[in-house]
Amino acid sequence: MKNRYMNPYLAGTMLGIVLLLAMFISGRGLGASGGIKYCVVSIVGAIDRPHAESSPYYSKYFEDGKKPLKNWLSLEILGLVAGGFISGAISKRLKFKIEKSPKISNTRRLIFAFLGGVFFVYGGQLARGCTSGAALSGMAVLSVAGFVTMMAIFGSAYLFAWFFRNNWI
Amino acid sequence: MGPISSLTVFPEWLDLLIAFLIGTGFGFSLEQAGFSSSRKLAGMFYGYDTTVIKVFFTAAIVALIGSQLLSYFGLLDLTKVFVNEYYVAASIVGGVIMGAGFIMGGFCPGTGLSAMSIGKIDAMVFFIGGLTGAFLFAETYPMIQNLANGYYRGPVKINEALGISPGLFTLLLIVAAVFMFWLSEAAEKRFARPDITEEL
Amino acid sequence: MNIREKLSALLVVIGLILALLPLSGNRSLIVKPQKLLSEALDQNTFFTVDQVARFVVSEDSTILLIDLRSPEEFKSFNIPGSVNVPYNQLLDKDPSTFLGAENMKNIFYSNGDFDSNFAAVIAAGLGYKNNYVMKGGLNEWFTTVMNSEFKGEKITARENTLFETRTRAKKLFTDMNSLPDSLKIKFLKAKHFDPKKLDGGCE
């Protein structure tokens, strides 16, 4: 039994309404890569506290006894995971799976997944936002940064698509 | 009236609960759209599945229209909604790096998280990679901070940069999006891969 | 298919409406009460007449003196370099034209403290920064600066500087305000800033 995905235009409208709610209630847009950063910061803080406090990058997250995991973005990504799970449960899509082209091995897919994550979040930190935080939320508030970042992401993905085609098609 | 957070100070637990609920709506929408599948996301760049552009632009435009209308009726003060700041080099270079990450990993952080929740192992590995990427950035920060902080332009808005009203720009964006929706339909027919789309 | 067509049509119609609406960045008076209260209590939001006198005498270009009195009162005399925004017309035009400059200090004054305090609170509530009030208003200006006299035998260095500043401010005030009307208007026009220049940072 195939479980159809929601019509993309309806799903987009739903997503747009969620974004609008975030703007209306909390005065900000959505985000994702920022939450990942907070995870890393708190892990580093837990493992090597002195390093975190002396580094110019990490220290600002621990000033005044702040906890890097107790903020809007960290809770939002927790909700992301919960929401995805609920949707998957409702639509009967819960299943352990590795998605890839049948032409390549699982290992190769996982290696690229890992590398993809490294590049994406690294770039996201540089551009101060990923597709959700900078591109999507940025477009909704008409920011130039959001627009530029979005075009850079999609443009570069199209450019590199040919080189990685074997992984997908 | 809005943003409500600028009217009253939410107690911390409420602020975090709101964030959690919004995140839930976010993850739910992403997964319902099918973004929990990396092959579906990658399809955008090979033509066989253009869901990404449809969802992305519909969402951005719905939120844009909603906020403009609320602002017109005095229900939302847009000067109090965060506008991300423009650092020219960082936006472009970061975007290019992200594009590479997108096509390699098949996810973006938001979709990766929602995919992780339904059991996609490649998404979990993507997440671990993401943690590593953030860690790398933090550790190499002193070397890269000039690039990251340079060419600061502040929270510039597109309509200000172009010198037109927000409403007019919204219309232009809508027209561009509608054009792209039609283009995507044509692309899906041209680059169709029923073997992949059936399986998704 | 059908949803796409319906949605696109709907969006285009809404887009047309939005393009025709007079949308501007409307500011609303949304403030956290605690923040406003603490700003009102903070003494740093006041400048004494002596401080204003020093700004005026040294031609400090980072201040903007805003005279809240009526145009007739403004014409008869005003602090040199100030602009006239009658209190009852404060919000008639977009306040960003005179309050929106990033690095300028907006110093409100009127005859006493009443109007200027309110104006500063409204400006803060609308989100403008760097709002100050000249404590005591023009009444205090006259008492302290215009009527300043030195009584006594010796003068300390500090008192001397204060006295000097007041005297120079008094002279400037008298000179500028006794210009014939035509020259005054010219001078005021020269001091009238170009609203475009105030539109904050990024070109």
Side-chain angles (χ1 to χ4, degrees), chain A residues 37 57-58 118 121-128, chain B residues 131-145 148:
Chain A
K37 171 189 68 187
Y57 182 83
Y58 293 110
V118 174
V121 179
Y122 191 93
Q125 288 300 294
L126 192 56
R128 292 173 175 77
Chain B
L131 290 173
T132 314
F135 179 71
L136 268 173
F137 185 83
E139 296 299 320
T140 60
Y141 186 65
M143 293 184 257
I144 207 149
Q145 67 181 4

Side-chain angles (χ1 to χ4, degrees), chain A residues 58-127:
Chain A
Y58 293 110
S59 51
K60 57 182 180 279
Y61 299 106
F62 294 98
E63 285 171 0
D64 310 323
K66 278 193 291 196
K67 292 207 173 114
L69 284 180
K70 242 186 178 187
N71 58 64
W72 201 93
L73 207 46
S74 304
L75 265 295
E76 191 237 12
I77 63 164
L78 206 60
L80 241 174
V81 175
F85 182 80
I86 295 175
S87 166
I90 292 180
S91 306
K92 300 194 183 56
R93 281 193 281 267
L94 295 176
K95 187 170 154 196
F96 286 110
K97 194 176 172 196
I98 297 180
E99 288 218 24
K100 59 179 184 60
S101 155
K103 296 188 216 164
I104 62 169
S105 68
N106 277 345
T107 317
R108 179 169 155 149
R109 170 74 189 108
L110 293 181
I111 291 177
F112 276 104
F114 179 81
L115 284 174
V118 174
F119 273 77
F120 211 112
V121 179
Y122 191 93
Q125 288 300 294
L126 192 56

Side-chain angles (χ1 to χ4, degrees), chain B residues 57-140:
Chain B
F57 271 94
T58 308
I61 288 175
V62 165
L64 180 56
I65 289 178
S67 58
Q68 295 293 327
L69 284 174
L70 285 177
S71 163
Y72 178 74
F73 290 112
L75 293 171
L76 174 64
D77 184 348
L78 284 177
T79 61
K80 300 207 162 58
V81 177
F82 179 72
V83 176
N84 36 341
E85 295 160 317
Y86 188 34
Y87 293 80
V88 185
S91 288
I92 299 177
V93 174
V96 169
I97 299 177
M98 283 196 270
F102 205 161
I103 200 71
M104 280 195 271
F107 286 114
C108 79
T111 56
L113 283 165
S114 71
M116 204 170 85
S117 67
I118 69 168
K120 297 282 160 74
I121 301 178
D122 48 345
M124 294 177 197
V125 174
F126 180 85
F127 179 70
I128 312 265
L131 290 173
T132 314
F135 179 71
L136 268 173
F137 185 83
E139 296 299 320
T140 60

Side-chain angles (χ1 to χ4, degrees), chain C residues 99-187:
Chain C
L99 291 179
E102 290 282 309
N103 303 316
M104 300 283 285
K105 299 193 254 290
N106 307 317
I107 306 181
F108 294 93
Y109 73 86
S110 50
N111 282 322
D113 274 334
F114 202 66
D115 288 355
S116 42
N117 278 324
F118 262 114
V121 167
I122 292 174
L126 287 172
Y128 297 106
K129 307 265 182 283
N130 304 325
N131 305 302
Y132 304 89
V133 164
M134 183 171 82
K135 199 161 185 195
L138 278 174
N139 295 335
E140 181 69 26
W141 174 272
F142 271 96
T143 321
T144 311
V145 176
M146 300 305 289
N147 296 334
S148 94
E149 258 177 45
F150 178 67
K151 295 190 185 72
E153 303 264 303
K154 280 205 241 169
I155 189 168
T156 68
R158 201 161 170 279
E159 279 178 330
N160 190 40
T161 334
L162 216 57
F163 187 64
E164 256 185 48
T165 313
R166 287 180 191 165
T167 313
R168 285 162 69 192
K170 177 162 119 184
K171 183 165 190 306
L172 197 62
F173 187 89
T174 319
D175 286 349
M176 295 307 307
N177 283 310
S178 47
L179 284 178
D181 271 357
S182 54
L183 275 179
K184 244 197 221 171
I185 292 174
K186 262 202 189 155
F187 178 75

